[in-house]
């Protein structure tokens, strides 16, 4: 009796982020010496604005296959950092920045730079702030930060950080696509109102003048877009990063409702008064 054997195979198509980045740094493309110390991280955006570090004592380490089998850039928290020149075509009032990073245990009260442009007085900084254990964003003197204790000094797992900054009107901070409540002008709220900042040379892993805080932890990837992406493009970036690094990117399946039945689905509830209809629980506000 003859037998037939069938083998079924499925192939996961490799996702790619949307085109149009103005800066794209990846741990998997770094150039390093025989001891795994990194002297250059090529810019994959097409702008050739590589992050470099020529001084041996300041070079971060290539941590081979440290995250989902992918290489990451490891900063020691005391001297490691990389720099690049002014980013061309960046929009100083509207942009989208994604950073995949974790944080090692580090005590103190410094502003430890993940990524920054210029200095905090007129540039743009994204930093781990140790005294309040949260993510800080400085934008031309204006400051917003995530909830206290959201990034503990004892360390935190890899996250997909995102700063979404829209036309100088509003800004949002996301961890793994979960929008964070932020403190802006000493009030906890959903968004900040950021104006433009001054473009300048950029830093990775270092705070620059006057807060010279060095980052301690790993950075796997940084992507910067010159505008605030729509939800479809944001999801494409997030799903690419999730597939690449195995870090969860949480997608909300509920649409932003404008009525009890639009744009899709039905919101049901027992009672309401004018101005407090049930759909407003899902209107994104």
């Amino acid at each position: 009796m003859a037998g037939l054997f069938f083998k079924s195979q499925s192939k996961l198509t490799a996702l790619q982020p949307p085109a149009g980045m103005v800066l794209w740094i990846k741990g998997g493309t770094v150039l390093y010496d025989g001891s795994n110390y990194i002297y250059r991280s090529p810019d994959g955006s097409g702008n050739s604005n590589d992050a470099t570090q020529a001084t041996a004592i300041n070079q971060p380490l290539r941590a081979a296959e440290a995250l989902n089998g992918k290489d990451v850039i490891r900063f020691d928290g005391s001297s490691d950092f990389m720099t690049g020149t002014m980013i061309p075509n960046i929009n100083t009032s509207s942009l989208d920045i994604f950073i995949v990073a974790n944080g090692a245990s580090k005590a103190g009260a410094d502003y430890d730079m993940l990524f920054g442009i210029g200095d905090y007085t007129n540039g743009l900084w994204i930093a781990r702030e140790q005294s309040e254990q949260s993510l800080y964003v400085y934008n031309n003197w204006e400051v917003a930060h995530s909830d206290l204790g959201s990034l503990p000094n004892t360390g935190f797992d890899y996250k997909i950080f995102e700063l979404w900054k829209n036309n100088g009107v509003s800004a949002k901070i996301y961890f793994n696509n979960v929008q964070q409540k932020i403190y802006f002008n000493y009030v906890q709220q959903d968004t900040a109102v950021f104006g433009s900042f001054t473009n300048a040379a950029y830093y990775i892993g270092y705070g620059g003048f006057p807060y010279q805080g060095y980052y301690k932890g790993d950075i796997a990837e940084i992507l910067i877009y010159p505008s605030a992406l729509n939800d479809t493009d944001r999801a494409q970036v997030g799903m690419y990063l999730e597939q690449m690094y195995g870090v969860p990117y949480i997608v909300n399946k509920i649409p932003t409702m404008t009525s009890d039945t639009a744009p899709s689905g039905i919101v049901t509830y027992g009672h309401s008064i004018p101005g407090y209809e049930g759909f407003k629980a899902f209107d994104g506000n």
Side-chain angles (χ1 to χ4, degrees):
M1 179 178 179
L4 296 179
F5 295 88
F6 296 90
K7 184 177 181 181
S8 175
Q9 290 183 322
S10 64
K11 183 177 181 181
L12 183 64
T13 302
L15 298 174
Q16 287 296 316
M21 296 89 84
V22 292
L23 187 72
W24 191 8
I25 301 296
K26 297 176 63 176
T29 62
V30 297
L31 305 179
Y32 50 92
D33 64 18
S35 298
N36 281 323
Y37 286 102
I38 300 166
Y39 56 87
R40 181 178 298 273
S41 183
D43 172 18
S45 73
N47 287 318
S48 300
N49 193 0
D50 300 354
T52 62
Q53 180 52 265
T55 303
I57 195 173
N58 299 130
Q59 290 172 346
L61 186 70
R62 165 186 170 258
E65 301 182 357
L67 177 60
N68 201 35
K70 307 298 189 300
D71 296 352
V72 300
I73 304 171
R74 180 159 294 168
F75 297 85
D76 66 3
S78 61
S79 64
D80 296 348
F81 70 101
M82 304 189 80
T83 62
T85 59
M86 182 182 293
I87 302 170
N89 304 317
I90 199 169
N91 188 333
T92 59
S93 65
S94 178
L95 49 72
D96 220 332
I97 301 178
F98 296 82
I99 303 174
V100 180
N102 73 358
S105 176
K106 186 180 182 185
D110 289 333
Y111 292 86
D112 294 347
M113 178 72 78
L114 272 163
F115 177 86
I117 296 172
D119 66 52
Y120 88 111
T121 61
N122 57 17
L124 177 70
W125 282 15
I126 302 174
R128 172 190 184 184
E129 206 281 331
Q130 290 170 267
S131 63
E132 295 182 348
Q133 302 183 70
S134 62
L135 188 75
Y136 261 66
V137 176
Y138 274 94
N139 180 99
N140 191 24
W141 277 105
E142 302 157 319
V143 61
H145 65 85
S146 64
D147 206 1
L148 307 182
S150 55
L151 299 181
N153 287 346
T154 52
F156 51 88
D157 291 336
Y158 285 96
K159 300 182 187 301
I160 300 173
F161 296 109
E162 180 187 358
L163 170 64
W164 185 92
K165 184 173 182 289
N166 183 27
N167 294 324
V169 175
S170 63
K172 303 175 185 178
I173 295 173
Y174 294 88
F175 293 178
N176 297 349
N177 199 35
V178 176
Q179 185 177 342
Q180 302 296 296
K181 288 286 186 181
I182 58 177
Y183 288 87
F184 181 66
N185 291 335
Y186 306 103
V187 177
Q188 191 178 46
Q189 52 199 58
D190 293 316
T191 64
V193 181
F194 281 159
S196 298
F197 61 88
T198 301
N199 196 10
Y202 72 86
Y203 297 84
I204 302 174
Y206 174 68
F209 180 82
Y211 298 116
Q212 299 180 18
Y214 292 93
Y215 196 75
K216 188 174 184 180
D218 300 342
I219 297 177
E221 191 156 335
I222 300 173
L223 305 95
I224 303 180
Y225 288 86
S227 62
L229 298 181
N230 60 40
D231 286 344
T232 299
D233 287 342
R234 288 183 57 249
Q236 186 176 340
V237 176
M239 297 308 291
Y240 153 75
L241 293 173
E242 180 179 60
Q243 185 185 92
M244 178 72 68
Y245 300 109
V247 179
Y249 186 79
I250 300 167
V251 178
N252 183 6
K253 301 294 186 180
I254 301 174
T256 300
M257 300 298 288
T258 56
S259 76
D260 290 340
T261 58
S264 63
I266 300 174
V267 179
T268 59
Y269 47 96
H271 176 71
S272 73
I273 60 176
Y276 294 90
E277 294 83 0
F279 78 88
K280 291 190 174 180
F282 310 102
D283 67 354
N285 185 2

